[in-house]
Amino acid sequence: MASISETIHIFFLISSLQVSPTLSATVVEDLNNLHPPPDFNSTIMNNCIHNPSLKYCNSSSPMDLNEIFKSTIVASHLCNESKNPNCVKSFPKIDLRSRPKITPLYLSFNFFWKYCPLGIMSIDLSNNSLKGAFPTDVLLCTQIQALDLSYNQLSGDIPVESFSVLANLTFLNLSYNHFSEMKVSDTKFFQRFNSSSFLHSGLFPGHHNYTIKAVILLVGFPIFVILMISCTGWLCFVRPDFLPRMLRSNHKFTTWMLKAATNGFSKKNLVGKNEGAAIYKGILRDGTRVKIEIYKGDVSREIRDEFVEECKLLVQFQHKNLIRVLGWNNSRRTRAIVTEWTNGGNVELWLSESAPSWKHRLKVLIGVVEAMCYLQEQWPEVDYDLRTGSVLLTDNLEPLISRFKIEYQHRSTKYVYKFGLFLLEMITNRRPLEEFERGEAGFIEYIRMHYPENLQLVVDERMMLTENMFDQAEQGLGLGLMCTDQPTGKLPSLVQIYNMVTRAYKSCPILTSENHRKSHADGGHGHKRVQFK
């Protein structure tokens, strides 16, 4: 091999090219002045004995020791320039991409390519602004698997026949050059590569196929964009429930979402109608069971806006005795409120069909008063319906106030009156609007007429009442009458009502048999009237 001083000398000459391309002639001249050491011939012979496949061992012409020597010097430095990890053991790639100052020099070393090291598998000379004809010398590395000459300014004809010796080539990129136009697909060798290997190179991999692909791209891409926009619009405005939860609007339901939840608003899902609204049961896409109350008909924009503002407020309720409002729908012809589904029916049906005990009735009354206190403190502008037909029940007999309206003129006396009527209905199981000619006024007058002397005519006779419970029922009737006695102005507060109902509930034992029932044929004489402290 060459002496250390010669090797260092060549290294500095080649490295200097990274600074100034004008030194190329000096490097070539200095390489020509180098001569192999005396023992170089024996070294070459030993190499051929151990590895007969080396290029210089199979050359048909006599060995040129000077060329072989110089090729080893260039190979050593080119391996390092290509940043191979261990040039002492292997030289797997030539990587001179984006190195326009030194790439032409290495291409000029014909002796290197003539004796191309067999370990080289990849050659990348891309993005170097190379000009002129195709560098055919690189094809002397017949063992390579990848060749990239893209993003240069090469021109002229492609040496098609010279490519035939590259049996292992699997990657080829000649894109973005200026070769003479030709149909390379006619050559069997180039049929293994697709059109991406020849983009903007002047070479046509197959004019017919290229035309078809171009047409598909020009027509298909706009169609794809339109489909993507349509799908996005469908997801955003028709079925946003298919979007990830973080991208959805939490409380807005589209008509198509409600239609899907109710199986197309089928009659099977229709559970009732009231006050111009159709009520459906449904199942949302995530499996949530809901009640959907739909109001149909054209209304003004102002009414629709007011409806949305009310719904935005209702969805903020956080109380166990208020129906959970999940969202709303507000379209041109349809408005809807979506709430949680309850299986327990309403208080009116529960009173008439289940004959609940006094303690169970007290439990419902406590829940109603708690919800009233919450609304009075947190949402005083919200009006609500306390009729027994509007208050729902859960499976655990928790009452749910379910009907609301925004009313900015708040009057607490009105809600105390509503609770008084509700309490009287709970104790008597009577329906003011259905059973009395004068409605609520007739109902209150009827109870006041029999209170307290003829309570057996007023109290729901199906309740199993002990003497203590009967006293509580009597006090409850007195409380209900006081709540509805609006002209006197001496109405109890919600706090007073809550304390009374809670004390009665805590002191009421659980009934276990009908033996606890007590007859009160004396009409309740001797029982004390309700007293407020």
Side-chain angles (χ1 to χ4, degrees):
M1 295 297 291
S3 66
I4 295 176
S5 60
E6 290 174 325
T7 302
I8 294 175
H9 178 62
I10 294 298
F11 173 75
F12 281 112
L13 287 174
I14 294 180
S15 298
S16 67
L17 290 176
Q18 300 179 33
V19 179
S20 175
T22 60
L23 297 180
S24 299
T26 304
V27 172
V28 174
E29 181 179 343
D30 287 342
L31 276 174
N32 290 332
N33 292 332
L34 285 176
H35 300 284
D39 59 346
F40 188 70
N41 185 35
S42 60
T43 301
I44 293 299
M45 293 302 177
N46 288 332
N47 288 343
C48 289
I49 293 173
H50 290 95
N51 190 0
S53 61
L54 293 173
K55 286 285 186 71
Y56 50 74
C57 298
N58 297 314
S59 176
S60 57
S61 59
M63 287 187 182
D64 188 331
L65 295 182
N66 286 331
E67 284 191 348
I68 296 174
F69 173 67
K70 288 187 290 184
S71 72
T72 59
I73 298 294
V74 172
S76 174
H77 293 291
L78 182 54
C79 181
N80 289 312
E81 287 285 354
S82 300
K83 295 181 173 57
N84 288 286
N86 190 348
C87 290
V88 175
K89 294 184 177 181
S90 63
F91 185 2
K93 65 177 180 179
I94 295 176
D95 186 356
L96 293 177
R97 55 187 164 179
S98 303
R99 306 288 295 278
K101 292 183 178 181
I102 63 172
T103 298
L105 177 63
Y106 281 110
L107 284 175
S108 70
F109 295 144
N110 306 87
F111 51 83
F112 167 75
W113 302 102
K114 179 179 178 181
Y115 301 112
C116 178
L118 295 177
I120 296 174
M121 295 290 110
S122 171
I123 299 177
D124 188 348
L125 305 178
S126 61
N127 197 30
N128 280 304
S129 301
L130 297 175
K131 296 181 180 180
F134 188 95
T136 55
D137 284 345
V138 300
L139 302 182
L140 295 175
C141 297
T142 57
Q143 75 283 355
I144 61 172
Q145 299 175 354
L147 175 61
D148 192 343
L149 290 170
S150 61
Y151 292 96
N152 285 296
Q153 300 178 35
L154 300 174
S155 58
D157 294 332
I158 289 288
V160 176
E161 297 300 328
S162 300
F163 274 91
S164 60
V165 297
L166 305 182
N168 299 322
L169 192 66
T170 57
F171 174 82
L172 175 65
N173 192 356
L174 302 178
S175 301
Y176 298 95
N177 280 287
H178 309 295
F179 297 115
S180 301
E181 291 188 4
M182 65 174 297
K183 191 176 179 182
V184 292
S185 60
D186 291 339
T187 305
K188 185 176 181 180
F189 175 85
F190 290 105
Q191 291 176 357
R192 71 180 77 174
F193 307 106
N194 58 36
S195 59
S196 63
S197 297
F198 310 100
L199 295 174
H200 300 283
S201 64
L203 308 172
F204 299 96
H207 184 71
H208 179 68
N209 293 336
Y210 183 81
T211 302
I212 292 177
K213 291 178 181 179
V215 171
I216 292 174
L217 181 63
L218 292 174
V219 176
F221 182 73
I223 293 176
F224 172 77
V225 172
I226 293 172
L227 288 176
M228 287 299 296
I229 294 174
S230 300
C231 289
T232 303
W234 185 82
L235 287 172
C236 293
F237 301 107
V238 178
R239 291 299 302 275
D241 49 331
F242 280 93
L243 291 171
R245 187 172 297 275
M246 65 182 67
L247 300 178
R248 300 182 210 163
S249 177
N250 290 334
H251 304 295
K252 291 183 181 180
F253 289 83
T254 65
T255 303
W256 294 271
M257 289 171 64
L258 302 183
K259 192 173 183 179
T262 58
N263 196 22
F265 301 119
S266 67
K267 292 183 178 180
K268 184 178 179 180
N269 288 64
L270 181 64
V271 295
K273 292 184 178 181
N274 65 349
E275 299 180 4
I279 301 175
Y280 290 86
K281 63 179 179 180
I283 301 177
L284 301 181
R285 187 172 176 272
D286 62 2
T288 303
R289 300 182 65 196
V290 294
K291 181 179 78 172
I292 303 171
E293 193 165 338
I294 299 178
Y295 305 87
K296 291 193 174 180
D298 292 330
V299 295
S300 66
R301 183 180 184 84
E302 181 181 356
I303 294 177
R304 293 206 310 269
D305 292 342
E306 290 178 359
F307 171 76
V308 171
E309 291 304 314
E310 289 183 4
C311 291
K312 287 181 178 180
L313 186 148
L314 298 181
V315 296
Q316 300 180 58
F317 288 172
Q318 297 290 335
H319 195 278
K320 65 182 179 65
N321 297 117
L322 299 178
I323 194 75
R324 189 161 62 99
V325 180
L326 303 178
W328 68 89
N329 167 260
N330 181 37
S331 58
R332 181 172 300 177
R333 296 185 178 180
T334 302
R335 291 170 296 143
I337 294 180
V338 182
T339 62
E340 62 179 317
W341 177 261
T342 58
N343 291 319
N346 57 43
V347 172
E348 181 179 318
L349 291 175
W350 177 64
L351 289 173
S352 60
E353 297 178 358
S354 302
S357 67
W358 174 241
K359 189 174 183 69
H360 285 155
R361 300 185 196 212
L362 288 173
K363 178 183 178 182
V364 171
L365 288 169
I366 289 175
V368 169
V369 179
E370 287 179 346
M372 293 175 68
C373 291
Y374 170 79
L375 290 173
Q376 185 181 55
E377 294 174 3
Q378 302 293 329
W379 308 97
E381 69 273 29
V382 176
D383 188 15
Y384 47 89
D385 190 350
L386 272 187
R387 289 177 295 179
T388 54
S390 298
V391 178
L392 306 179
L393 288 175
T394 67
D395 294 335
N396 298 324
L397 296 183
E398 285 287 351
L400 296 172
I401 298 177
S402 64
R403 303 189 70 79
F404 309 93
K405 185 179 181 181
I406 307 301
E407 186 175 277
Y408 293 99
Q409 294 180 351
H410 175 70
R411 291 184 301 159
S412 60
T413 56
K414 177 174 66 174
Y415 304 117
V416 173
Y417 174 82
K418 287 183 178 183
F419 177 79
L421 280 176
F422 184 82
L423 174 59
L424 295 176
E425 287 188 56
M426 290 285 287
I427 297 174
T428 63
N429 189 30
R430 302 295 293 269
R431 308 290 170 262
L433 299 180
E434 299 173 8
E435 301 181 29
F436 297 90
E437 184 176 351
R438 295 177 55 216
E440 294 176 356
F443 174 54
I444 295 171
E445 183 180 344
Y446 167 77
I447 296 176
R448 196 178 299 280
M449 181 176 60
H450 293 290
Y451 178 85
E453 287 79 10
N454 298 310
L455 294 185
Q456 77 277 7
L457 300 177
V458 177
V459 176
D460 187 356
E461 61 182 8
R462 299 172 303 163
M463 286 191 292
M464 297 182 295
L465 297 177
T466 64
E467 183 175 0
N468 179 56
M469 291 180 185
F470 192 86
D471 290 341
Q472 292 178 351
E474 179 185 353
Q475 293 179 18
L477 288 172
L479 175 61
L481 291 174
M482 182 174 288
C483 290
T484 55
D485 191 13
Q486 290 183 309
T488 65
K490 298 179 180 180
L491 300 180
S493 68
L494 288 180
V495 175
Q496 289 176 312
I497 294 172
Y498 177 76
N499 290 337
M500 283 203 62
V501 177
T502 303
R503 283 198 300 267
Y505 179 78
K506 291 180 178 179
S507 64
C508 185
I510 298 176
L511 296 179
T512 57
S513 68
E514 292 190 3
N515 295 330
H516 293 99
R517 186 166 183 173
K518 179 180 177 65
S519 173
H520 295 275
D522 61 353
H525 291 292
H527 293 291
K528 296 180 180 180
R529 289 176 178 264
V530 60
Q531 298 292 327
F532 292 97
K533 297 181 180 179

